[in-house]
Amino acid sequence: MGTGIKWGVGLATPGLFLLCTDGSLSFNVGDILGAICGACVALHLLYTSHFARHADSDVYLLTTLQLSVVGLLSLASAQVRGQEVFVWHPELLWTLVVCVLIATIFAFLVQTTMQKWISPAHTALIFCTEPVFAAAYAYYAADERLGVLGLLGAVLILAGMVVSELLPDGAESETSVSVAAEG
């Protein structure tokens, strides 16, 4: 992991803590479930990066497999709990189309494609901006306010993103320097 990524993660991690908890050290079941979810997302990023980087990998097939597995496991989970799965609400058609085509299929296809070139750590830092934009939208749509610590957390996350992009990564910068010297 390069210097830029280390600094980016070093800034974004406490930023995420401050943004999501406002500095409070009290945790509940939802926080624990959120931490487990974060670990699962980290594994997803690592495995997606690994499989997307294979020279013969087909990102369309990989994305299809990812979404199919999640769909089948979700269907099985709903069936085990006795939940209705296929309920038609015609008034939600366009919402469903947007959520399925753009927010799921397109988003996962772009993520899988880009992970051929972007490291899992860079991808995770990009994902860390999601709560920042969610907080900004909550301010816009519901007039929610962040406290000082929440705002500091958002700034740290954004700073982590910028630092990870601007600071050179050790091996990559050494390679580019040696290539420039040879040229």
Side-chain angles (χ1 to χ4, degrees), residues 7-64:
W7 277 100
V9 169
L11 288 168
T13 301
L16 191 58
F17 172 77
L18 291 173
L19 178 63
C20 295
T21 67
D22 207 29
S24 170
L25 286 175
S26 63
F27 299 102
N28 59 36
V29 174
D31 296 328
I32 294 167
L33 291 173
I36 292 169
C37 179
C40 291
V41 169
L43 288 172
H44 172 254
L45 294 177
L46 290 169
Y47 281 114
T48 299
S49 180
H50 172 76
F51 288 112
R53 289 172 190 252
H54 282 90
D56 61 339
S57 73
D58 180 359
V59 293
Y60 295 103
L61 177 61
L62 183 56
T63 302
T64 301

Side-chain angles (χ1 to χ4, degrees), residues 12-143:
T13 301
L16 191 58
F17 172 77
L18 291 173
L19 178 63
C20 295
T21 67
D22 207 29
S24 170
L25 286 175
S26 63
F27 299 102
N28 59 36
V29 174
D31 296 328
I32 294 167
L33 291 173
I36 292 169
C37 179
C40 291
V41 169
L43 288 172
H44 172 254
L45 294 177
L46 290 169
Y47 281 114
T48 299
S49 180
H50 172 76
F51 288 112
R53 289 172 190 252
H54 282 90
D56 61 339
S57 73
D58 180 359
V59 293
Y60 295 103
L61 177 61
L62 183 56
T63 302
T64 301
L65 289 172
Q66 290 175 338
L67 296 178
S68 296
V69 167
V70 169
L72 291 172
L73 290 175
S74 298
L75 180 64
S77 173
Q79 290 292 328
V80 165
R81 294 179 311 158
Q83 301 291 320
E84 282 189 71
V85 177
F86 300 105
V87 180
W88 179 246
H89 296 282
E91 68 275 10
L92 297 178
L93 176 64
W94 288 111
T95 303
L96 186 63
V97 167
V98 168
C99 287
V100 168
L101 294 179
I102 297 170
T104 303
I105 295 172
F106 178 73
F108 270 86
L109 186 59
V110 168
Q111 176 197 339
T112 303
T113 303
M114 291 300 106
Q115 280 200 256
K116 281 185 157 203
W117 301 284
I118 299 174
S119 73
H122 264 109
T123 307
L125 281 169
I126 292 167
F127 279 20
C128 278
T129 61
E130 182 180 359
V132 175
F133 291 109
Y137 183 75
Y139 172 79
Y140 168 76
D143 203 30

Side-chain angles (χ1 to χ4, degrees), residues 1-11 121-122 125 159-170:
M1 188 179 326
T3 305
I5 292 290
K6 288 178 185 175
W7 277 100
V9 169
L11 288 168
H122 264 109
L125 281 169
M161 279 282 302
V162 170
V163 165
S164 75
E165 293 300 320
L166 295 181
L167 281 182
D169 290 336

